[in-house]
Structure formats: C-alpha cells, structure tokens
Amino acid sequence: IYECISNVEVRALFSDRSPFHTLKFNEDGEAMPELHYCGRDVYEGRVVLIGDQGMRHEWRVEGPEKAYTISTDFTRKSDEAVG
C-alpha cells in the first residue's frame, strides 16, 4: 500500500498497514536511495520515474540469507479504472 505524505514523500506499508519504508524524492522528482533491514539482510532500493504515469521500484537484496534483485513497474490507473 502506498500513501502520499507530501509532494516529495510516499510511504509504503505492508498489507496490515505496518510501515515498510518511505520513498523520498528531491525537488527535481529524483528518488533518493533507501535502505531496509530485514534481520541481517539488507535491501537497497531506488525508484525510477517512468514519465508522469508510472515508476519502477528496484531492490538489490544482500545478506547471509538472501541475494537477489527485485524490479517492479507501477502505472497509474485511469480515472475510469478507479471507479
């Protein structure tokens, strides 16, 4: 779940609404790097804006239990799709 906090911050929540991390952007709309610790594993994330209708969220995961990359593309729903 993503909640817009301000024009430069978006909060990501787990499905139970507990906090995961906060996406932070500079004034030019560029995403700031982010870290999330899960036990001894470290998730290093970044967001890449895709035009004005989407974003790509990339994570590099490293640690004693995990080693992989996650890449997810998000696109804005049209007003008709939202309801």
Side-chain angles (χ1 to χ4, degrees):
I1 301 169
Y2 289 88
E3 294 180 332
C4 183
I5 300 170
S6 71
N7 62 344
V8 294
E9 290 186 316
V10 176
R11 180 181 302 137
L13 306 170
F14 290 107
S15 60
D16 67 357
R17 303 198 61 80
S18 62
F20 175 42
H21 65 93
T22 300
L23 303 169
K24 296 181 181 180
F25 300 86
N26 65 23
E27 294 297 326
D28 294 325
E30 297 170 346
M32 307 302 289
E34 55 194 292
L35 293 176
H36 171 76
Y37 298 92
C38 183
R40 297 184 307 159
D41 300 315
V42 179
Y43 289 66
E44 182 179 347
R46 72 183 197 120
V47 172
V48 178
L49 298 179
I50 304 171
D52 62 351
Q53 295 298 309
M55 68 180 185
R56 175 172 295 125
H57 205 167
E58 300 173 343
W59 289 98
R60 189 179 81 220
V61 185
E62 293 184 6
E65 303 296 324
K66 302 171 187 165
Y68 56 87
T69 301
I70 303 168
S71 180
T72 307
D73 288 352
F74 296 87
T75 55
R76 183 185 307 261
K77 288 185 177 182
S78 68
D79 290 337
E80 295 84 31
V82 174

